[in-house]
Amino acid sequence: MRSDVKTWIGAGVTAPVRLLAQMADVPLRQWQRLAGRGGMIGFFLLPNMLIFGVFVLVPLGINFAYSVTGGTAVFLPDRSYVGGANFDRLLDCTNHFDPNSCRDDVFWIAVWNTVRFVGLQVTAMTICAMITALILNSKIRARAFWRAVFFFPVLLSPVVVGLIWRWILQRQGLLNYLLYQFDAEQVNWLTERGWAFTAAVGVSVWAHVGFYALILLAGLQAIPRDLYEAAEMDGTKPARAFWRITLPLLWPNLLVVIVLSLIRAVQVFDEVYVLTGGGPGTSTLYLTQYIYEVGFASTLRNSGVASAASLLMGGVLVVLTLLQLGLTRWRDRK
Amino acid sequence: MNPIRFLFRRKGGKGWHWTDLVTWVWLGTGLLIMFGPALWLVLSSFKSPTQLAEFPPTILPYVSQTAEVGINGEVKELPLYTAVTEDGQVRTLAEVRRIGTVAQMVDPDAPDTVYKVNINDRRPVRQVGFEIENYLKPLQAFNFGLYLRNSVFVTTVATLITLLTNSMAAFALSKYEFRGRNGVMLLIVATLMIPLSVNLVPLYSVVSKLGLLNSLWGVILPTVATPTGVFLLRQYMLTIPDELIEAARMDKASEWQIYWRIVLPLTAPALAVLAIFSVVWRWNDFLWPLIVLSRKELFTLQVGLNTFAGELNVQWHFILAMTVATMIPVVVVFVFLQRFITAGIAGTGLK
């Protein structure tokens, strides 16, 4: 009875779609007769490639053009050619490790903040994901439940993640209450430079660790069980089995996870932006926010500089993505 | 069997090992850290503004009890307190007014005697209760109903377009041999390297040239041609035997019919995975809508919520409630479809 109802509802939903598809068949048959199978291939590819072209490839071209033009105009023809001036402005430093010595000090603050963020976040993420995956792969009860526990924050929106933690980390928030319970000193998590940075890293690990743990778990589960059984029969200690069996066989997956989390960490923006707004001062200002602020949020939009910065970040991402694609192929061949 | 022994017995039945302890500590803390914050958010969202300002906070939301007291012929609704009066007795009293550190209180049943109580000697009488107002007010007064509608529109339309265009492209790339196929594949791979955050500035100019600024279509269109979607579907379609298609051609099916009557139904599992992901992606999108939409009535929930949190820095009771409301659809997806999502990620590395 219930399945009947379901079938009826399903039919009700799909009927209009079917009707539309059926109606589309008449003109498409004509087109097929006219243009042959090749024409149909074109038809199938067209919508997706058109959107790709207009919203990915054309903008990419414009990006290069923007980076060598100046002024505040949005449309290319209205902009003046400035050559490498935008890149000069970004890269001009007497000492690249000291943002104060750079012409665009905010850019270099963002660069070094991003580097520090990426370093700490990827390390913490990999370690946490690895431990979680190993534990989820061991003989525990209710594995599906525990997997879901760690996966839960992955689906939350960055705005929700940012606000949840802003609420917990505020001066009179839950975390300070817990510290107060244990007679520890309370901390202004989001308004002290060092703590805000730590909070940004921590929240971002919290939000994504489940995703990477899941990939590692899939890798662990692909390791044949009999290897461990054989090792056990030979009297191998579990620690040795980990170093000699688990790690070498998991290595490709681990590398993919590291590179993937690198790619994501370089682009960090939304949850940190909602959490701290880049502050206090510039202590959690990262590259994407720099681009957003220079290109959109400030009153004097400087699309040229924002594009130049985007391309510099894009260059890093291209290298990392090529690395990831190569690694994935290498892993899948293994 | 002894219940404690039952809970702590190990699979395999061997003795304890230090790794068991690590496992339980990790899982226990994990449960607390992963679910705790969201739970705390939900509990806090039902608290009144005064309660939110309290430190130390209570775990559960409470609603203060009030009593109707007739004073000088006027009936007023006054908050109830448990107070220690000057004679040392504990009474349940209603507070009429407060002057400095002294509260003037009366017994609701005998409102003629006024007791003066130091405010430190009284505690509000309250019960676990939920402040539903936190949810109702923003939905009516602050456009949240509108934001919700915009988000639902963007999510639904973008997902439908994604499914249609990605599956058509994947069909062409998996079931036909043609010149330039590898070129097209390479092009799609290349777009993997250009995430939105790199293309923000020029994409903005393209979208504005097309007249799509401050339009929900400007939010939808740049996101729908996902390379990951094409990949996922193509991978799946490659497993569909070509003989089926040949047989259909013998029966004079058009190429379009082959696509939607044979290949598409067989790709249903992969389409479902992509649909779930697309819904979560589009629901959660933040940076791009933030850039494209500047008119308030067009905001999606995420942008609306962020703006709201920026404007009403002190009105946490509304912010928390709206955060919960924004979270609900994703939690529903999580509860019912978590299995498909985790399988999808493990199988494809998609996110």
Side-chain angles (χ1 to χ4, degrees):
Chain A
M1 183 64 204
R2 241 187 97 212
S3 66
D4 270 2
V5 174
K6 264 191 188 163
T7 321
W8 279 105
I9 294 173
V13 173
T14 51
V17 180
R18 283 187 194 189
L19 196 70
L20 273 177
Q22 188 64 58
M23 274 158 62
D25 191 44
V26 182
L28 285 173
R29 234 175 232 278
Q30 286 295 328
W31 172 249
Q32 191 180 335
R33 202 169 307 146
L34 267 168
R37 202 170 283 170
M40 281 311 284
I41 297 174
F43 165 76
F44 283 121
L45 281 174
L46 186 69
N48 203 64
M49 297 325 278
L50 192 69
I51 297 175
F52 258 142
V54 174
F55 295 107
V56 181
L57 298 178
V58 169
L60 186 66
I62 298 178
N63 216 348
F64 282 100
Y66 261 166
S67 68
V68 291
T69 53
T72 49
V74 173
F75 296 117
L76 260 185
D78 308 335
R79 299 173 61 83
S80 52
Y81 180 77
V82 295
N86 292 323
F87 288 99
D88 278 347
R89 174 184 148 176
L90 287 176
L91 299 174
D92 184 16
C93 281
T94 36
N95 174 9
H96 286 90
F97 292 97
D98 176 19
N100 288 325
S101 73
C102 300
R103 208 156 92 202
D104 193 331
D105 53 340
V106 182
F107 175 70
W108 283 96
I109 289 173
V111 167
W112 289 116
N113 277 347
T114 309
V115 169
R116 281 195 306 150
F117 179 88
V118 169
L120 198 62
Q121 198 251 22
V122 170
T123 314
M125 179 91 86
T126 311
I127 292 171
C128 288
M130 185 75 195
I131 296 175
T132 308
L134 283 172
I135 285 177
L136 289 178
N137 191 44
S138 67
K139 293 173 182 166
I140 54 166
R141 250 157 243 291
R143 181 180 300 147
F145 167 76
W146 290 110
R147 196 180 56 195
V149 166
F150 285 92
F151 185 72
F152 169 66
V154 173
L155 294 183
L156 294 181
S157 88
V159 179
V160 168
V161 168
L163 286 174
I164 287 181
W165 284 97
R166 222 160 94 184
W167 176 238
I168 288 174
L169 297 175
Q170 57 144 339
R171 185 197 276 271
Q172 300 215 318
L174 184 65
L175 194 58
N176 271 340
Y177 169 61
L178 293 176
L179 289 178
Y180 164 87
Q181 284 290 304
F182 292 107
D183 285 326
E185 205 176 317
Q186 295 174 34
V187 174
N188 286 327
W189 297 103
L190 298 177
T191 49
E192 270 172 37
R193 299 183 73 91
W195 284 118
F197 174 73
T198 316
V201 173
V203 168
S204 133
V205 170
W206 178 82
H208 304 293
V209 67
F211 172 74
Y212 299 102
L214 215 58
I215 296 185
L216 287 178
L217 181 63
L220 284 173
Q221 284 172 342
I223 299 175
R225 290 263 155 211
D226 34 337
L227 281 179
Y228 292 101
E229 279 159 22
E232 203 173 351
M233 284 221 254
D234 293 343
T236 313
K237 290 215 168 67
R240 200 178 148 80
F242 173 78
W243 289 110
R244 288 300 167 90
I245 301 173
T246 311
L247 214 51
L249 287 174
L250 192 66
W251 191 231
N253 275 295
L254 200 59
L255 277 179
V256 168
V257 161
I258 292 173
V259 178
L260 211 57
S261 64
L262 271 173
I263 293 174
R264 299 259 163 76
V266 170
Q267 304 173 62
V268 57
F269 173 73
D270 4 27
E271 61 243 15
V272 177
Y273 180 71
V274 176
L275 186 72
T276 65
T282 49
S283 53
T284 54
L285 177 85
Y286 302 118
L287 266 176
T288 305
Q289 193 185 340
Y290 172 85
I291 295 168
Y292 170 67
E293 297 209 323
V294 172
F296 299 99
S298 68
T299 40
L300 271 175
R301 294 183 170 194
N302 196 334
S303 316
V305 172
S307 276
S310 306
L311 287 177
L312 291 175
M313 185 170 95
V316 174
L317 290 174
V318 166
V319 172
L320 287 173
T321 312
L322 284 176
L323 190 64
Q324 183 225 337
L325 290 174
L327 280 172
T328 313
R329 288 191 90 162
W330 173 65
R331 174 191 71 178
D332 294 343
R333 248 205 329 265
K334 267 204 148 186
Chain B
M1 195 193 270
N2 179 334
I4 295 172
R5 287 262 299 277
F6 174 77
L7 275 176
F8 285 89
R9 86 197 152 127
R10 303 179 76 222
K11 257 190 190 171
K14 271 179 263 166
W16 276 78
H17 190 258
W18 64 268
T19 51
D20 296 349
L21 194 68
V22 175
T23 301
W24 284 108
V25 169
W26 188 266
L27 291 180
T29 348
L31 185 66
L32 224 60
I33 294 179
M34 293 297 167
F35 274 152
L39 191 66
W40 180 245
L41 171 81
V42 173
L43 288 172
S44 301
S45 75
F46 286 107
K47 290 179 178 176
S48 64
T50 31
Q51 247 211 299
L52 288 176
E54 252 171 47
F55 191 86
T58 55
I59 291 178
L60 293 173
Y62 289 92
V63 171
S64 296
Q65 297 293 101
T66 54
E68 289 189 345
V69 186
I71 303 170
N72 307 331
E74 243 184 286
V75 178
K76 279 184 183 169
E77 180 110 356
L78 296 174
L80 279 177
Y81 289 85
T82 317
V84 186
T85 48
E86 277 162 347
D87 52 3
Q89 283 209 327
V90 181
R91 293 188 164 91
T92 305
L93 298 175
E95 184 174 286
V96 182
R97 66 173 70 84
R98 184 184 143 187
I99 303 159
T101 54
V102 179
Q104 290 186 1
M105 310 185 102
V106 295
D107 191 329
D109 299 325
D112 296 329
T113 345
V114 175
Y115 299 91
K116 286 186 175 158
V117 183
N118 187 295
I119 54 164
N120 294 323
D121 293 337
R122 76 203 202 327
R123 268 186 305 113
V125 178
R126 53 194 194 175
Q127 251 178 9
V128 174
F130 302 95
E131 195 83 37
I132 307 294
E133 275 290 284
N134 292 352
Y135 285 82
L136 298 180
K137 258 229 175 109
L139 281 175
Q140 295 157 353
F142 299 107
N143 274 338
F144 263 90
L146 207 58
Y147 301 161
L148 184 69
R149 237 182 49 201
N150 293 337
S151 267
V152 169
F153 178 79
V154 167
T155 307
T156 323
V157 173
T159 300
L160 288 178
I161 298 180
T162 302
L163 289 180
L164 183 69
T165 58
N166 285 8
S167 66
M168 278 167 66
F171 174 62
L173 290 170
S174 62
K175 289 297 162 218
Y176 297 102
E177 295 281 347
F178 59 94
R179 267 225 329 257
R181 189 171 85 164
N182 287 337
V184 174
M185 282 306 291
L186 209 65
L187 202 67
I188 296 176
V189 175
T191 55
L192 267 179
M193 292 181 222
I194 320 158
L196 200 77
S197 55
V198 172
N199 255 348
L200 286 177
V201 181
L203 190 54
Y204 177 85
S205 78
V206 168
V207 167
S208 93
K209 192 85 187 164
L210 293 173
L212 294 174
L213 280 189
N214 272 318
S215 139
L216 292 178
W217 290 99
V219 176
I220 294 170
L221 288 176
T223 56
V224 293
T226 57
T228 29
V230 177
F231 267 128
L232 174 75
L233 295 178
R234 176 174 182 265
Q235 226 51 31
Y236 203 89
M237 285 178 183
L238 284 175
T239 62
I240 297 171
D242 290 336
E243 287 79 11
L244 274 178
I245 290 164
E246 285 308 322
R249 277 195 190 124
M250 299 271 202
D251 292 341
K252 300 236 164 54
S254 70
E255 300 300 311
W256 171 253
Q257 279 178 322
I258 292 173
Y259 160 72
W260 75 269
R261 295 185 80 154
I262 296 172
V263 174
L264 216 50
L266 287 172
T267 321
L271 284 171
V273 170
L274 181 61
I276 298 169
F277 273 96
S278 172
V279 165
V280 174
W281 286 332
R282 299 293 84 89
W283 185 262
N284 289 347
D285 269 346
F286 174 59
L287 179 57
W288 184 240
L290 181 72
I291 288 171
V292 177
L293 306 172
S294 56
R295 289 224 317 264
K296 260 201 159 148
E297 64 271 23
L298 288 170
F299 281 178
T300 59
L301 261 183
Q302 312 293 340
V303 179
L305 187 62
N306 178 59
T307 316
F308 190 64
E311 282 170 0
L312 303 171
N313 226 338
V314 266
Q315 303 211 34
W316 270 106
H317 55 297
F318 291 148
I319 297 171
L320 295 173
M322 288 307 97
T323 310
V324 173
T326 310
M327 193 172 81
I328 288 171
V330 171
V331 172
V332 170
V333 167
F334 173 76
V335 169
F336 291 103
L337 303 172
Q338 187 255 128
R339 208 188 269 264
F340 297 98
I341 300 174
T342 46
I345 289 179
T348 59
L350 196 75
K351 190 188 176 189

